[in-house]
Amino acid sequence: MIEQIKLDLKKMLEQAFLNEFHTSVNVVIEAPKRIDQGDLSIPVFTIAKAISRPLPETANHIKKTIESSMISTLFSELIIMGGFFNLRLNSTAMAQKVIVNYMSNQNNYGDSTIGEGKVVCIDYSSPNIAKPFSIGHLRSTIIGHALGNLLEKCGYKVVRINHLGDFGTQFGKIIYAYQHFGDEEKIKKDPINELVKLYVEFHELAKTNPSMDDEARRIFKELEQGNEEYTALWNWFRKVSLEDYMQVYQLLKVTFDSYNGEAFYNDKMQPVIDELKAKNLLKEDDGAMIVDLGENMPPALIQKTDGSTLYITRDLAALFYRKNTYHFDKCLYVVGNEQKLHFEQIKAVLKKMGYDYDEAIEHINFGLVLQDGKKMSTRKGKVVKLVDVLNEAIKLSQAYIDEKSPLLEGKDLIAEKIGVSAIIFNDLKNYRANDFEFNLEDMVRFEGQTGPYLQYTSVRITSILNSEDFVFDGKIDYSILSRETEFEIVKAISQYQMTVEKAALESSPSILAKYLLNLASLFNSYYGKEKINVENQLEKNTKKHLLAMVRTILNDGMTLLGMQIIEKM
RNA sequence: GACUUGGUAGCUCAGCUGGAUAGAGCAACGGCCUUCUAAGCCGUCGGUCAGGAGUUCGAAUCUCCUCCGAGUCGCCA
């Protein structure tokens, strides 16, 4: 709502300057850093320069223009402060608008229509079969899930795709290892760990025995061509791995529309290769088939010397399949920073093939999960399992509950919701592209800018609202909402929708996360100095309206991020 | 070496299409529970925004150079 006012003001002023000075100026309107500087601020420097007038004259001109305009009633004060022109909003009028707007959208407050009629595919989570669900996949899962929710809130139709890493040379290696030194019983008992052991062992031995790599490649090639023995093993590995991942998805409450992984595209790659050939883009180089992408980018390797395919070949097949099946307007890939080049290459190949939707493909990159400042690697066996981290967080929140509210009913489920949500929020509160040092202590922290802080805030409000019947009836004393402390909260409430849209458009859940922290902090300060359940009925009712709106937003926002809402803690 | 990305308080990070006195949380220290949940609130301490030069009325933000970390650079994904 504030955004709308800014926009109206900007347009009005720019038009006025155009009319009077025949100059097109860019009027910038921002929020001042300090409350005593008003609600909105316009730096006058550039405008004065554009119309070649002194600062004071320009500022006065702005003042007169606003005073004589249709929107003058929106403001209660116009202040000239040095080179800045500051405005204070008419808080009563503003508060009324916010309440009316809220009452007419109570069940879907903040919903946006910017994505109506558009389809977005999101490729996220995508763990590698036969490997543990790592902390890196956790990031992809959490970010992708939140983005899906944000986009849906904005009206997009979202297709959630778990592009399982269920194919590739790694399977040649694991099958080789299994056949040479594997043990069926052990795998049945502890599938993923045993498979990882085999994989790690393979790499150890292959260091001194390079022919093993050739052998693994051969096995994978035969698997690709349908060898029955290998296919049976592959199916088994896939099945036990998926069962393992499902535990994590259930804990995180994450679901997908499609689990089509790389293997699904096994029979869809030849057409891609044929098309590349037909378009004269494929050329042989050292026995492999590549697409030359010019001097600024390394070539894309489409087919290996032995004829088997690569990651990019499968991703291209997947891309075409998605385009034809879902007719997406955007296709997002929630994948780590280290694959930046890969996606640039995909776009480049697509463009070379003559397709025009390369701009629709977006690599939603995220920071690497580092350990001791270095990338974690499965090959060295240094993997932190996600289930362990989640369980650790749940255990800690159980300890917290036992200490702080030992009589709480349904402790176990609440502990799970707090622990899991803490992990999710910890990941989403920071800008996704930054690297992420793995630190269990930080991940399960329960004080300060954390998931539990948001949940706690919501619970506090619930507790107050439930103390006696409350109905959102709009019976409000606006002189209370227009006071400085309350009005700060009203302003924040009015910015929810804009925040959701921004987070969705920039694929940055952290924007929403920071907003929620700020809103919660505003409430907690307020709670610290104002009593809500006061004698005066109208005052009490007014304050409860404010709280109800804050809670609606907190709960909705947390849900969008993938966190879970609780009523008591 | 080339390209990408980052360097802001002791730690984790916001702020980056140029705007006012650079903000939070954690840690440290001091207050606040006979009153709506103290997983909270209030306060104190903490800064050469890596370094240098430039553009500008104005630079953490833009440009260039240097230093440091990370990632990627054909047969892994």
Side-chain angles (χ1 to χ4, degrees):
Chain A
M1 198 161 299
I2 287 186
E3 291 313 300
Q4 192 54 47
I5 294 176
K6 276 184 176 177
L7 205 66
D8 291 346
L9 181 60
K10 178 181 164 79
K11 273 190 196 156
M12 190 276 287
L13 285 173
E14 286 178 355
Q15 189 59 46
F17 279 111
L18 193 61
N19 290 346
E20 289 172 52
F21 298 91
H22 307 289
T23 316
S24 65
V25 295
N26 178 30
V27 176
V28 177
I29 303 173
E30 49 201 29
K33 291 189 177 166
R34 300 150 54 94
I35 302 182
D36 55 271
Q37 290 165 334
D39 300 309
L40 298 174
S41 176
I42 304 172
V44 188
F45 312 94
T46 44
I47 303 172
K49 202 172 189 181
I51 60 169
S52 312
R53 290 288 194 287
L55 274 176
E57 190 188 326
T58 311
N60 271 313
H61 189 78
I62 293 174
K63 192 171 183 193
K64 276 182 203 149
T65 309
I66 294 174
E67 277 168 349
S68 60
S69 76
M70 309 267 291
I71 57 176
S72 64
T73 52
L74 292 173
F75 310 105
S76 63
E77 224 180 323
L78 307 175
I79 320 142
I80 296 169
M81 291 176 90
F84 293 87
F85 187 88
N86 294 346
L87 306 93
R88 201 170 287 284
L89 291 166
N90 179 338
S91 50
T92 307
M94 177 84 187
Q96 273 167 353
K97 280 192 178 190
V98 170
I99 297 286
V100 168
N101 178 256
Y102 179 87
M103 284 185 81
S104 56
N105 300 288
Q106 269 195 70
N107 297 318
N108 51 4
Y109 188 68
D111 278 18
S112 160
T113 55
I114 56 173
E116 244 166 37
K118 292 183 190 153
V119 177
V120 183
C121 288
I122 314 183
D123 176 325
Y124 66 100
S125 194
S126 312
N128 294 322
I129 296 297
K131 290 185 187 173
F133 200 103
S134 74
I135 215 83
H137 291 115
L138 164 74
R139 295 216 72 191
S140 175
T141 308
I142 289 176
I143 295 168
H145 184 232
L147 283 182
N149 296 346
L150 280 164
L151 289 163
E152 270 169 4
K153 176 106 180 152
C154 290
Y156 291 91
K157 160 105 176 59
V158 174
V159 184
R160 300 160 186 267
I161 302 171
N162 192 347
H163 189 70
L164 295 171
D166 56 4
F167 226 54
T169 319
Q170 53 179 343
F171 286 95
K173 293 174 180 174
I174 293 171
I175 290 172
Y176 176 98
Y178 177 71
Q179 289 189 327
H180 285 77
F181 36 83
D183 180 335
E184 189 179 343
E185 288 310 309
K186 276 190 187 169
I187 293 187
K188 277 185 179 159
K189 254 186 230 157
D190 188 6
I192 296 221
N193 279 338
E194 284 304 317
L195 290 173
V196 171
K197 268 189 202 164
L198 290 177
Y199 188 71
V200 171
E201 206 170 333
F202 178 94
H203 274 278
E204 283 302 313
L205 294 172
K207 268 186 208 159
T208 53
N209 190 357
S211 70
M212 279 169 64
D213 281 318
D214 295 336
E215 187 61 8
R217 265 195 285 277
R218 196 216 77 210
I219 293 173
F220 173 60
K221 176 131 200 266
E222 287 189 27
L223 174 65
E224 207 172 13
Q225 288 163 348
N227 176 304
E228 280 184 25
E229 184 191 3
Y230 297 151
T231 305
L233 282 173
W234 171 82
N235 261 320
W236 181 43
F237 295 156
R238 189 180 193 270
K239 184 170 160 279
V240 293
S241 300
L242 255 181
E243 283 167 5
D244 205 75
Y245 304 151
M246 281 306 177
Q247 295 173 10
V248 173
Y249 292 139
Q250 264 165 26
L251 221 41
L252 291 173
K253 311 287 179 226
V254 169
T255 56
F256 297 93
D257 300 308
S258 162
Y259 288 85
N260 288 339
E262 301 189 326
F264 176 78
Y265 299 100
N266 191 28
D267 61 355
K268 298 171 183 61
M269 285 181 286
Q270 195 54 47
V272 176
I273 294 171
D274 291 344
E275 188 179 341
L276 285 165
K277 243 180 233 165
K279 289 182 174 167
N280 231 346
L281 295 171
L282 222 49
K283 77 177 190 191
E284 198 185 318
D285 197 279
D286 279 342
M289 300 304 282
I290 63 163
V291 175
D292 195 338
L293 298 174
E295 282 180 14
N296 299 323
M297 215 184 281
L301 247 187
I302 301 294
Q303 209 168 18
K304 296 195 250 184
T305 318
D306 67 2
S308 62
T309 56
L310 284 139
Y311 182 40
I312 197 165
T313 325
R314 269 168 260 143
D315 254 7
L316 281 168
L319 181 65
F320 294 137
Y321 177 83
R322 288 171 192 172
K323 184 68 183 172
N324 293 330
T325 308
Y326 305 115
H327 311 286
F328 61 74
D329 296 279
K330 270 206 271 188
C331 186
L332 311 183
Y333 291 84
V334 186
V335 180
N337 277 337
E338 76 270 34
Q339 292 191 30
K340 197 161 198 270
L341 178 62
H342 170 72
F343 289 102
E344 280 169 13
Q345 287 180 319
I346 286 191
K347 287 185 181 194
V349 171
L350 197 64
K351 214 170 184 174
K352 281 215 151 194
M353 291 175 86
Y355 295 106
D356 61 358
Y357 55 93
D358 58 298
E359 293 287 329
I361 297 166
E362 260 181 74
H363 176 202
I364 309 303
N365 59 321
F366 58 82
L368 293 169
V369 180
L370 306 175
Q371 204 162 40
D372 307 321
K374 299 264 181 195
K375 184 185 168 187
M376 289 176 164
S377 157
T378 322
R379 289 189 194 175
K380 291 169 197 138
K382 270 172 69 179
V383 188
V384 179
K385 285 178 69 180
L386 175 61
V387 201
D388 296 343
V389 175
L390 289 172
N391 285 332
E392 185 69 23
I394 293 169
K395 233 167 59 191
L396 267 159
S397 64
Q398 266 162 349
Y400 252 79
I401 293 173
D402 284 337
E403 184 195 328
K404 309 211 180 239
S405 24
L407 302 176
L408 188 64
E409 276 175 54
K411 282 201 276 191
D412 286 350
L413 187 57
I414 291 173
E416 183 183 306
K417 289 181 174 180
I418 293 174
V420 171
S421 298
I423 300 273
I424 292 173
F425 188 78
N426 177 258
D427 195 306
L428 293 178
K429 75 178 175 188
N430 293 136
Y431 178 60
R432 44 160 235 271
N434 292 340
D435 282 348
F436 199 84
E437 177 74 21
F438 177 76
N439 183 334
L440 193 65
E441 244 173 82
D442 278 350
M443 294 184 82
V444 299
R445 178 156 282 153
F446 287 169
E447 283 146 9
Q449 300 170 328
T450 64
Y453 178 73
L454 296 182
Q455 287 169 319
Y456 179 69
T457 309
S458 166
V459 164
R460 272 181 140 180
I461 297 177
T462 298
S463 171
I464 297 173
L465 294 182
N466 287 354
S467 60
E468 53 189 295
D469 285 342
F470 167 72
V471 184
F472 203 104
D473 54 15
K475 286 178 189 156
I476 282 171
D477 177 352
Y478 282 99
S479 70
I480 292 173
L481 290 190
S482 60
R483 299 191 303 204
E484 194 171 282
T485 36
E486 282 86 354
F487 190 56
E488 279 304 300
I489 298 176
V490 170
K491 275 199 285 182
I493 290 169
S494 82
Q495 284 166 318
Y496 181 56
Q497 180 179 314
M498 189 256 328
T499 305
V500 168
E501 288 172 353
K502 198 171 172 214
L505 288 175
E506 296 183 22
S507 303
S508 292
S510 65
I511 293 174
L512 176 59
K514 298 278 184 197
Y515 166 88
L516 294 176
L517 281 176
N518 179 53
L519 182 66
S521 165
L522 284 175
F523 164 76
N524 280 316
S525 287
Y526 182 63
Y527 180 89
K529 58 186 158 198
E530 280 287 329
K531 186 158 171 63
I532 310 301
N533 278 324
V534 290
E535 289 294 318
N536 184 317
Q537 288 297 314
L538 187 56
E539 182 185 345
K540 179 166 71 178
N541 203 44
T542 300
K543 288 174 168 177
K544 285 192 171 181
H545 275 71
L546 193 62
L547 266 53
M549 292 191 290
V550 170
R551 184 180 61 165
T552 300
I553 293 175
L554 285 176
N555 288 356
D556 191 60
M558 284 193 276
T559 306
L560 289 177
L561 293 179
M563 297 168 64
Q564 293 169 55
I565 308 305
I566 47 186
E567 305 254 302
K568 286 182 181 171
M569 67 192 278

